[in-house]
Amino acid sequence: MLHSLLLKSFITAAEENGHWTIQSSVFPENTASLRLHEGAGFRVIGRRERIALMSYGPADGTWRDTILIERRTSLNGTP
């Protein structure tokens, strides 16, 4: 619940400051984050292959894919 409140606050602040699009990247296995963003109006717009080089943990030295997500508002930037 806290995460969704934080995300909604971020979206509101972005819209109030004239931003009409928000983008983010999420690791594919982070399905909880993808669902959270989807519930807040984000959509998947692509997959970036081998974009994140891990520098720690068990995946150290491994190139990772990320899922690119985006949310656009109807409040700003559109006629």
Side-chain angles (χ1 to χ4, degrees):
M1 178 137 171
L2 177 61
H3 294 99
S4 62
L5 291 174
L6 289 171
L7 185 56
K8 287 177 185 177
S9 294
F10 173 72
I11 291 167
T12 299
E15 291 176 340
E16 287 174 351
N17 285 282
H19 299 284
W20 61 277
T21 187
I22 303 168
Q23 293 182 340
S24 187
S25 293
V26 179
F27 288 122
E29 69 274 7
N30 193 346
T31 56
S33 182
L34 290 169
R35 282 193 310 269
L36 173 72
H37 284 84
E38 181 181 4
F42 284 76
R43 65 187 178 100
V44 173
I45 59 171
R47 181 184 198 99
R48 299 181 77 193
E49 295 177 349
R50 296 178 42 88
I51 193 70
L53 178 61
M54 298 301 292
S55 61
Y56 59 90
D60 183 25
T62 304
W63 283 96
R64 305 283 311 281
D65 294 355
T66 61
I67 304 298
L68 186 59
I69 57 176
E70 175 181 88
R71 183 186 191 281
R72 292 195 176 178
T73 182
S74 60
L75 302 178
N76 305 304
T78 56

